[in-house]
Amino acid sequence: MAFEYLTNVPLKQAQEEYIQLLLQNGFAAKTEMVAVQQACGRITAQPVYAHICAPHYAASAMDGVAIVAKDSFGATETTPVILQPEQFIVLDTGDPIPEGYDAVIMVEDLVKNPDESITIHEAAVPWQHIRQIGEDVCAGEMILGAHIEVTPAAIGAMIAAGVLEIEVIKRPVVGIIPTGDEIVQPCTDPKQGDILEFNSSIFSAMLRQWGADPIIYPIVPDQFEQIKQALEQAVDACDMVILNAGSSAGREDFSAKVIEEVGQVLYHGIAMKPGKPAILGCQGAKAILGVPGYPVSGIIVIEELLKPLIACWLQHGTERVQTATAKLTRPVVSSLKYQEFVRVRLGYVGDELMASPLSRGSGVVSSLVKADGILEVPQGVEGYEASSLVEVKLLSSVEKLKNTLVMIGSHDPLLDEIANLMHLEDASLYMSSAHVGSMGGIMAIRRGEAHAAGCHLLDTETGEYNIAFIKKYFPKGGVKLVRCVGRQQGMMLQKGNPLGIEKFTDITKPGVRYVNRQKGSGTRILSDYLCKQQGVEPKDVYGYEREELTHTSVAAQIANGSADAGMGIYSAAKLYDLDFVPICIEEYALLISDKAWETPMMQRLLATLKSKNFQEKITAMGGYILDRPGELIEIGQ
Amino acid sequence: MAFEYLTNVPLKQAQEEYIQLLLQNGFAAKTEMVAVQQACGRITAQPVYAHICAPHYAASAMDGVAIVAKDSFGATETTPVILQPEQFIVLDTGDPIPEGYDAVIMVEDLVKNPDESITIHEAAVPWQHIRQIGEDVCAGEMILGAHIEVTPAAIGAMIAAGVLEIEVIKRPVVGIIPTGDEIVQPCTDPKQGDILEFNSSIFSAMLRQWGADPIIYPIVPDQFEQIKQALEQAVDACDMVILNAGSSAGREDFSAKVIEEVGQVLYHGIAMKPGKPAILGCQGAKAILGVPGYPVSGIIVIEELLKPLIACWLQHGTERVQTATAKLTRPVVSSLKYQEFVRVRLGYVGDELMASPLSRGSGVVSSLVKADGILEVPQGVEGYEASSLVEVKLLSSVEKLKNTLVMIGSHDPLLDEIANLMHLEDASLYMSSAHVGSMGGIMAIRRGEAHAAGCHLLDTETGEYNIAFIKKYFPKGGVKLVRCVGRQQGMMLQKGNPLGIEKFTDITKPGVRYVNRQKGSGTRILSDYLCKQQGVEPKDVYGYEREELTHTSVAAQIANGSADAGMGIYSAAKLYDLDFVPICIEEYALLISDKAWETPMMQRLLATLKSKNFQEKITAMGGYILDRPGELIEIGQ
């Protein structure tokens, strides 16, 4: 069977053939009747015509009297006409015009006589000051065409026209079947080897945003018959089905075979990355999409292959995605074989939109939380060089991006707290931060990729922090250095210090598994310095090559028992309730690009550093020394 | 009491003081716990921290074997190491690393020996090919800050991090109290004088779009005590209350007094139009907004005065409204006393965005259905001249506007049917049409305000349609004329023709009430011509000055018994089941600007005219003759 072998069909071709196949099989929207009040945002299935006129009766447009216009003919300033009480009726704005009457005289245009009659000095034009029947909409007129989204004002116009129920396009029902022996329902204390089933929750939220009704089915183990039964049931009940996981060609790949038994497989394997093992299947007009288990792959597959089907069903016009031109901060290497989707973080530095590629691991869902855009590298393109101008699909609005402070550099959990405080103080401001170590931060500022960078680089010659590095990398200036905090650095150890580690040199002890930070981070430079200073040979330290990117992840390895010691800051040790051997206090400062200095967001950042809220938060986290945060540090010549 | 007199406070000042007063009184969002799966689109109330690491266990990143890295030390190409079965465990990608093991050798990097042992040729680096704990997110890390909107990807990241429930900002509950003796629930057959209560339905839909939870209370008659009781009840149950209607200073104005008794009134009367009689009130931190009864006034009042409160509650950053610069097609005259909100229809003609002011009647809700934008004329500005460049707030996207065919000219219900067919054939295309008569259409094309115009202008000298007018008004060309339909014009009469009207001259008969079309419409030119030709003096025709803007509204007046006869097309008479005396067949053609000729939407329009669907629709409507619709008409020199 051909589908057992992955195809490598170009995405665009797959999209087009898939929708063509479904349309040939009769793919079409269902419709339903809904109360007009519930129709906001829904799409009309048929044109809506006014049932009655609005207004549905002739009404006075003024406060005054209703008369028969003829009775007033001939009235002028010099030949006034007197109307007897039986010839007029007093009414207010909005009152219906009584049968037989056909004009309104405004109260200010008439004289009331003592005998209850009135005098008028100008003939009325028939139908003057009368709000005509159908002024707003006439019975039989089309209020909305077919396939038009219902707005609040349209709801008002329809009710005014006596239309209480309309035929709209039914939301397509999309079944989601999670499969896999190791998959478990979301919980707070999963066992070793359990994989929390969160894909369905992501997919459901996306589907609702696109106007579909998701149904999540129970998790099915990797058993052919059980998956087949679940799929048959879902295909019966739904308009489209997502079969999640098991779509790669590996040993647990039942998906393609199951889909082939229940319906047919158009393609198994698309020239896209992530998402290559996707399966495009159907049973008649019902789409069955086999989606890889890795969350990022799954998200991109349903975005590219299911969303167009839903848009077609809902008769949405082709929604153009917002894009922008951005400058790549680092090269992107891509395979010629696939169309690749690379998540990027975006930031306006000056007037230039800079795009920094994020982790490409398809299991890293947090990278999608951080992503502001997607860069598509077409099939047949090898990638782009750094500084290339590329077109990116925006996930955040340009306005939000313009108000986002981009911080790239040394990691500290306090950056998230600063971001939170800034945003609480001004809801229009955001901060995005990436952890690439102090040297990475310096480079990011040099490349114009970031507004600010946390750094704590020890000049091992002078024992001074940061200044030597800034002089070296910014010989012409262009940056400012701002005080942030003093941080307690030390050795994080397992709770209770079972291996009796007392000082740095103990990391060479037999049985001690060290976990290190990545090269270029300030903490790694400190470890390397301590090794040199105290005569420790890195090759004698078990795990010295094991690199983690943040203090927190070093702490997490120790807390979870996969390492015994690592350098890091006190607040991370405290967070994980680890033992801690203090080693030194270091200056953690913020390097700020002059280009960003005057922006409202930078000024807000500086204000936040000086705020009482910040001081309280930092004190609660532990291990920090506050020494005039927010003040400039003199760099000198 | 001061509030009995309308104030005229500038809108901006009123907005600022209102929110300040409420904040002083303790206005603040409530929060609630929700399941993470239900949190998409909600706003976090507190930062969300990871509860567990994701992944929460070290897992193999490859298919292969788990070993203790130390056991492999020293292995090279020339000095391979052999591991006995008890020294390794076979595992697949994703499997947990068993206790005590700390490296994975890929299956392709090892040799299986016949005795079940394996041989490796390269030492393992501790933790190689292992997906570390917390690679995605570490326990204790901030996943989302406070006051951040939850996205589908964030839902995934939270579940992966063991967070199943989060604290979000509660949607504010907004009570809506409709008041008025004449107000009735929506129905399909209202009695004379009944006003259908559709404001609440419009407001509810808007409130839901803004993230609030609306509650509609029963209609309350204009009785002080009843309104007061209803308001007290709503203020108790809700976070904000809209008291609808009765907010003008007229005789039924209880609203301000009621609000004053239940709480306090900050302002009664805002310098805005429509919406002037709005009442800004509160009880403590609960806003009570008195909203005028006319729908357009009410919509603008809640948009300007309630929406900012909801945004403040929900901690949205100041959402910047999309605006665009447009050229006014007609002058806008505004009062110096008020900030005025003028609905406009927008259209791209060539590259220029043209804005045409729509009806300013605050009762005309259909004008809001047609509006693409709002022009704000500041207080103190008298208005703008035609051709001024103005900034408009967009209600439709630029993309939709660029795909909207703007048709301004003679009315015919078939235009709505054409619009519907075009959109069904290509969901990205729209048509907006305005009924200003044939001459109005010619002028709109001349001013560059429209792409096309329906026209049927009889040259009374030659008996020919349209061509003479086009030669006159477009002496240098720049337009094309396209066949559309032949239309049956005639006299529309009450069903059964009770007054025995047989021919045009019968409209002068005593007791016959005529209803006319507006000057400049082709039908009016025809009536005037018939008068002249047949010796009818307009002043002898009762109601000749009574002008309606469409065939349908002429038919509606006759059908509703407020007129006896009027000129119009057969399809309108048929729609209202009226009697009809045929008079002539006229050529209804489309005048098309050369600037728009080559656009996809115009080509689609021409294709639609030639389509079978169009022919079928037109035949069903009755009174049309199809004569090669969509073909060019030679204009000549």
Side-chain angles (χ1 to χ4, degrees):
Chain A
M1 287 180 285
F3 65 85
E4 285 188 27
Y5 301 92
L6 291 182
T7 49
N8 194 48
V9 58
L11 177 58
K12 200 168 148 50
Q13 181 190 340
Q15 287 168 327
E16 286 169 1
E17 289 184 25
Y18 196 31
I19 214 158
Q20 279 314 317
L21 173 65
L22 290 166
L23 287 171
Q24 275 163 27
N25 291 353
F27 178 86
K30 297 173 186 166
T31 67
E32 63 185 341
M33 298 302 293
V34 294
V36 161
Q37 284 93 338
Q38 306 308 320
C40 192
R42 303 297 296 271
I43 312 290
T44 54
Q46 301 293 339
V48 179
Y49 296 93
H51 181 72
I52 56 174
C53 293
H56 59 93
Y57 59 92
S60 181
M62 296 289 168
D63 292 353
V65 299
I67 64 161
V68 178
K70 246 185 212 167
D71 293 348
S72 73
F73 286 3
T76 65
E77 249 342 291
T78 48
T79 59
V81 164
I82 291 173
L83 297 178
Q84 296 308 317
E86 62 273 18
Q87 289 182 289
F88 64 86
I89 290 175
V90 177
L91 33 58
D92 286 308
T93 306
D95 285 348
I97 304 301
E99 178 92 42
Y101 292 77
D102 67 359
V104 167
I105 313 270
M106 286 197 286
V107 67
E108 44 268 62
D109 290 342
L110 55 84
V111 177
K112 286 179 198 167
N113 303 320
D115 67 349
E116 306 285 298
S117 69
I118 56 170
T119 302
I120 54 174
H121 293 87
E122 194 185 346
V125 177
W127 298 92
Q128 74 177 22
H129 303 320
I130 289 178
R131 190 168 179 226
Q132 300 276 22
I133 290 170
E135 178 190 299
D136 201 342
V137 60
C138 286
E141 277 181 2
M142 194 187 289
I143 303 173
L144 292 177
H147 300 177
I148 299 287
E149 190 175 327
V150 177
T151 60
I155 290 175
M158 288 191 281
I159 297 176
V163 177
L164 301 188
E165 221 190 25
I166 58 171
E167 189 177 349
V168 296
I169 292 178
K170 202 165 172 302
R171 297 190 179 98
V173 177
V174 182
I176 304 170
I177 307 174
T179 69
D181 290 334
E182 69 286 6
I183 303 294
V184 299
Q185 290 295 352
C187 63
T188 55
D189 53 349
K191 293 196 299 286
Q192 279 267 94
D194 285 351
I195 296 179
L196 295 175
E197 203 290 281
F198 55 80
N199 283 358
S200 304
S201 303
I202 303 178
F203 298 166
S204 293
M206 294 169 75
L207 289 166
R208 273 192 215 100
Q209 286 183 335
W210 299 337
D213 262 345
I215 296 179
I216 304 179
Y217 285 90
I219 297 165
V220 187
D222 283 323
Q223 299 294 328
F224 188 86
E225 278 307 320
Q226 287 189 48
I227 296 179
K228 185 180 158 195
Q229 207 179 338
L231 182 58
E232 281 170 340
Q233 189 196 340
V235 169
D236 272 357
C238 305
D239 302 308
M240 307 171 193
V241 178
I242 294 170
L243 186 59
N244 193 205
S247 80
S248 80
R251 64 168 184 169
E252 290 172 342
D253 172 24
F254 298 121
S255 294
K257 290 193 190 105
V258 171
I259 296 174
E260 184 80 355
E261 278 215 18
V262 170
Q264 67 177 111
V265 170
L266 174 66
Y267 285 114
H268 182 193
I270 315 287
M272 64 192 288
K273 203 176 160 192
K276 180 164 170 37
I279 306 162
L280 306 191
C282 63
Q283 187 200 66
K286 294 185 173 188
I288 305 172
L289 191 65
V291 168
Y294 276 125
V296 180
S297 313
I299 287 169
I300 290 180
V301 166
I302 73 162
E303 179 103 29
E304 293 297 322
L305 291 157
L306 196 63
K307 193 180 177 189
L309 301 185
I310 294 170
C312 172
W313 172 290
L314 291 175
Q315 304 288 349
H316 277 312
T318 15
E319 175 205 8
R320 222 148 296 166
V321 206
Q322 253 212 307
T323 60
T325 303
K327 192 169 176 176
L328 271 181
T329 59
R330 282 189 292 281
V332 167
V333 178
S334 173
S335 163
L336 287 170
K337 278 177 71 184
Y338 310 114
Q339 175 172 350
E340 198 153 352
F341 295 84
V342 180
R343 286 146 274 167
V344 295
R345 182 194 300 275
L346 297 169
Y348 276 95
V349 181
D351 286 335
E352 208 158 28
L353 184 62
M354 308 297 289
S356 307
L358 285 162
S359 157
R360 285 153 92 176
S362 48
V364 183
V365 68
S366 63
S367 69
L368 260 176
V369 179
K370 290 180 191 131
D372 303 302
I374 303 277
L375 166 64
E376 286 186 27
V377 187
Q379 196 175 355
V381 171
E382 275 183 296
Y384 303 105
E385 289 177 20
S387 299
S388 305
L389 289 178
V390 291
E391 202 69 10
V392 291
K393 224 162 84 177
L394 296 183
L395 302 176
S396 303
S397 71
V398 167
E399 194 198 335
K400 182 177 172 187
L401 292 173
K402 288 198 168 160
N403 285 305
T404 299
L405 200 150
V406 181
M407 180 85 90
I408 300 183
S410 168
H411 170 250
D412 194 296
L414 69 78
L415 294 178
D416 290 333
E417 301 296 341
I418 293 173
N420 185 48
L421 290 173
M422 273 179 66
H423 182 66
L424 285 178
E425 284 156 14
D426 183 341
S428 68
L429 300 182
Y430 298 83
M431 184 198 285
S432 97
S433 56
H435 314 316
V436 299
S438 297
M439 276 310 298
I442 285 180
M443 294 308 157
I445 300 277
R446 268 169 60 116
R447 288 191 299 261
E449 175 181 341
H451 302 120
C455 63
H456 58 112
L457 288 166
L458 175 65
D459 179 0
T460 51
E461 306 288 308
T462 63
E464 204 183 48
Y465 277 87
N466 300 321
I467 290 175
F469 292 86
I470 289 163
K471 283 185 178 163
K472 176 169 174 196
Y473 289 103
F474 301 93
K476 295 179 181 164
V479 288
K480 293 185 172 52
L481 194 62
V482 165
R483 283 181 197 283
C484 188
V485 289
R487 306 198 298 189
Q488 181 66 65
Q489 275 274 14
M491 297 270 287
M492 301 192 276
L493 306 171
Q494 294 217 8
K495 179 76 178 166
N497 192 4
L499 300 180
I501 297 165
E502 305 291 341
K503 52 188 191 300
F504 184 77
T505 49
D506 289 348
I507 63 173
T508 56
K509 276 193 184 174
V512 173
R513 297 164 303 160
Y514 190 73
V515 53
N516 214 340
R517 288 289 306 283
Q518 85 278 22
K519 292 170 201 75
S521 68
T523 302
R524 174 61 172 268
I525 290 173
L526 177 62
S527 313
D528 291 349
Y529 171 67
L530 291 172
C531 283
K532 204 171 148 194
Q533 184 199 44
Q534 301 184 23
V536 172
E537 277 297 325
K539 71 170 172 46
D540 297 337
V541 181
Y542 192 86
Y544 202 81
E545 309 85 345
R546 182 180 177 188
E547 298 188 347
E548 292 288 332
L549 296 179
T550 65
H551 297 279
T552 332
S553 57
V554 169
Q557 307 316 314
I558 299 169
N560 283 281
S562 88
D564 303 300
M567 283 290 290
I569 54 175
Y570 176 77
S571 63
K574 186 175 172 224
L575 188 63
Y576 282 79
D577 195 22
L578 300 176
D579 274 25
F580 189 79
V581 177
I583 290 187
C584 65
I585 302 282
E586 63 180 9
E587 285 174 28
Y588 184 84
L590 299 182
L591 178 65
I592 296 174
S593 163
D594 281 353
K595 284 184 197 161
W597 184 257
E598 291 293 346
T599 59
M601 52 197 180
M602 193 57 77
Q603 293 305 309
R604 169 64 61 188
L605 173 76
L606 297 174
T608 299
L609 288 178
K610 293 173 185 169
S611 71
K612 204 159 153 273
N613 283 338
F614 174 67
Q615 292 175 22
E616 283 172 5
K617 186 73 216 175
I618 288 311
T619 309
M621 288 170 80
Y624 294 103
I625 293 160
L626 284 160
D627 180 20
R628 295 170 287 150
E631 283 194 13
L632 267 178
I633 297 170
E634 203 54 57
I635 300 175
Q637 285 312 313
Chain B
M1 288 181 285
F3 63 83
E4 288 189 25
Y5 301 91
L6 293 181
T7 48
N8 194 47
V9 59
L11 177 59
K12 200 169 150 49
Q13 181 190 340
Q15 286 168 327
E16 286 168 2
E17 289 185 25
Y18 195 32
I19 214 157
Q20 279 313 316
L21 173 66
L22 290 166
L23 288 170
Q24 276 163 26
N25 291 353
F27 177 89
K30 297 173 186 166
T31 67
E32 62 184 344
M33 299 300 294
V34 294
V36 161
Q37 284 94 337
Q38 305 309 321
C40 191
R42 302 297 295 271
I43 311 290
T44 54
Q46 301 292 339
V48 178
Y49 296 93
H51 181 73
I52 57 175
C53 292
H56 59 94
Y57 59 92
S60 179
M62 295 290 169
D63 292 352
V65 299
I67 64 162
V68 178
K70 248 183 207 166
D71 292 349
S72 73
F73 286 2
T76 65
E77 252 338 295
T78 49
T79 60
V81 165
I82 292 174
L83 298 179
Q84 296 307 317
E86 61 274 17
Q87 289 181 289
F88 64 87
I89 290 176
V90 178
L91 35 58
D92 286 308
T93 305
D95 285 347
I97 303 299
E99 179 90 42
Y101 292 76
D102 66 0
V104 167
I105 313 267
M106 286 196 285
V107 67
E108 45 268 61
D109 290 342
L110 56 83
V111 176
K112 287 179 197 165
N113 302 319
D115 67 350
E116 305 286 300
S117 69
I118 57 171
T119 303
I120 54 175
H121 294 87
E122 192 183 349
V125 177
W127 297 93
Q128 75 177 23
H129 304 319
I130 290 178
R131 192 171 176 223
Q132 300 276 22
I133 289 169
E135 177 190 298
D136 200 342
V137 60
C138 286
E141 278 181 1
M142 196 186 289
I143 302 173
L144 292 176
H147 299 177
I148 299 286
E149 189 175 327
V150 177
T151 60
I155 290 176
M158 289 191 279
I159 297 177
V163 177
L164 300 189
E165 221 191 25
I166 59 170
E167 190 177 349
V168 297
I169 292 179
K170 203 167 171 302
R171 297 190 180 98
V173 178
V174 181
I176 303 170
I177 308 175
T179 70
D181 290 333
E182 68 288 4
I183 303 294
V184 300
Q185 291 294 353
C187 63
T188 55
D189 52 350
K191 292 197 298 289
Q192 278 268 95
D194 284 352
I195 295 178
L196 295 175
E197 204 292 279
F198 56 79
N199 283 358
S200 303
S201 302
I202 302 177
F203 298 166
S204 293
M206 293 168 76
L207 290 164
R208 273 193 215 102
Q209 286 184 336
W210 300 337
D213 261 345
I215 296 180
I216 304 179
Y217 285 89
I219 297 165
V220 187
D222 284 323
Q223 299 293 329
F224 189 87
E225 277 307 319
Q226 288 190 48
I227 297 179
K228 186 180 156 194
Q229 208 180 335
L231 182 59
E232 281 171 339
Q233 190 196 339
V235 169
D236 273 358
C238 305
D239 301 307
M240 308 171 193
V241 178
I242 294 171
L243 187 58
N244 192 208
S247 79
S248 80
R251 64 166 186 169
E252 291 173 342
D253 171 23
F254 299 120
S255 294
K257 290 193 190 107
V258 172
I259 297 174
E260 185 79 353
E261 278 216 19
V262 171
Q264 67 176 111
V265 169
L266 174 66
Y267 285 115
H268 181 192
I270 315 289
M272 67 191 287
K273 202 176 158 190
K276 180 166 170 35
I279 306 163
L280 305 191
C282 64
Q283 188 200 67
K286 294 184 173 187
I288 306 174
L289 191 66
V291 168
Y294 277 125
V296 179
S297 314
I299 287 169
I300 289 179
V301 166
I302 73 163
E303 179 102 31
E304 293 297 321
L305 292 157
L306 195 64
K307 193 180 177 189
L309 301 184
I310 293 170
C312 173
W313 172 290
L314 291 175
Q315 304 288 351
H316 277 312
T318 13
E319 176 206 6
R320 221 148 296 167
V321 205
Q322 254 213 306
T323 60
T325 303
K327 192 169 178 178
L328 270 181
T329 58
R330 282 189 291 281
V332 168
V333 178
S334 173
S335 164
L336 287 170
K337 281 177 70 183
Y338 311 114
Q339 174 173 351
E340 196 152 354
F341 295 83
V342 181
R343 287 147 273 166
V344 295
R345 180 196 301 277
L346 298 169
Y348 277 95
V349 181
D351 285 336
E352 207 157 27
L353 184 61
M354 309 298 290
S356 307
L358 285 163
S359 159
R360 285 152 93 176
S362 48
V364 184
V365 67
S366 62
S367 69
L368 261 176
V369 179
K370 290 179 191 132
D372 304 302
I374 302 276
L375 166 65
E376 286 186 28
V377 187
Q379 198 174 354
V381 171
E382 276 183 293
Y384 303 106
E385 290 176 21
S387 298
S388 304
L389 289 178
V390 292
E391 201 70 8
V392 291
K393 224 160 85 177
L394 296 184
L395 302 176
S396 303
S397 71
V398 168
E399 193 199 335
K400 182 177 171 186
L401 292 174
K402 289 198 167 159
N403 285 305
T404 299
L405 199 149
V406 181
M407 179 84 87
I408 300 184
S410 169
H411 170 250
D412 193 296
L414 69 79
L415 294 179
D416 291 332
E417 301 296 339
I418 294 173
N420 185 49
L421 290 174
M422 271 178 69
H423 182 67
L424 285 178
E425 285 157 14
D426 183 340
S428 69
L429 299 182
Y430 297 84
M431 183 198 287
S432 98
S433 56
H435 313 317
V436 299
S438 296
M439 276 310 299
I442 284 180
M443 295 307 157
I445 300 277
R446 267 169 61 116
R447 288 192 299 262
E449 175 183 341
H451 301 119
C455 62
H456 57 111
L457 287 166
L458 174 64
D459 180 358
T460 52
E461 307 288 309
T462 63
E464 205 183 47
Y465 276 89
N466 300 319
I467 290 176
F469 292 86
I470 289 162
K471 282 185 178 161
K472 178 170 171 194
Y473 289 102
F474 300 94
K476 294 179 182 164
V479 288
K480 291 185 175 53
L481 193 63
V482 165
R483 281 180 200 285
C484 188
V485 289
R487 304 199 298 188
Q488 180 66 64
Q489 275 275 15
M491 299 269 288
M492 299 192 278
L493 307 171
Q494 294 217 8
K495 178 78 177 164
N497 193 5
L499 299 180
I501 298 165
E502 305 291 341
K503 52 188 188 303
F504 183 74
T505 50
D506 290 348
I507 62 174
T508 56
K509 275 193 185 174
V512 172
R513 296 164 302 161
Y514 190 74
V515 52
N516 214 340
R517 288 290 305 282
Q518 85 277 20
K519 291 171 203 74
S521 67
T523 303
R524 174 63 171 267
I525 290 173
L526 177 63
S527 312
D528 292 349
Y529 171 68
L530 291 172
C531 283
K532 205 171 146 191
Q533 185 199 43
Q534 303 185 19
V536 172
E537 278 297 324
K539 69 171 173 46
D540 297 336
V541 181
Y542 191 87
Y544 203 82
E545 310 84 345
R546 182 179 178 190
E547 297 188 347
E548 292 288 332
L549 296 178
T550 64
H551 296 279
T552 333
S553 57
V554 169
Q557 307 315 315
I558 298 169
N560 283 281
S562 88
D564 303 301
M567 284 289 292
I569 54 175
Y570 176 76
S571 64
K574 184 175 174 224
L575 189 62
Y576 281 80
D577 195 20
L578 299 176
D579 274 25
F580 189 78
V581 178
I583 291 189
C584 65
I585 302 282
E586 63 180 11
E587 285 175 26
Y588 184 84
L590 299 181
L591 178 65
I592 296 173
S593 162
D594 281 353
K595 282 183 198 162
W597 185 259
E598 291 294 347
T599 59
M601 52 196 177
M602 193 58 75
Q603 293 305 311
R604 170 62 61 186
L605 172 76
L606 297 174
T608 299
L609 288 178
K610 294 174 185 167
S611 72
K612 205 161 151 270
N613 284 337
F614 173 67
Q615 293 175 21
E616 283 172 6
K617 187 73 217 175
I618 288 311
T619 309
M621 289 170 81
Y624 294 103
I625 293 160
L626 286 160
D627 180 22
R628 294 170 287 149
E631 284 194 13
L632 268 179
I633 298 172
E634 202 55 57
I635 301 175
Q637 285 312 311

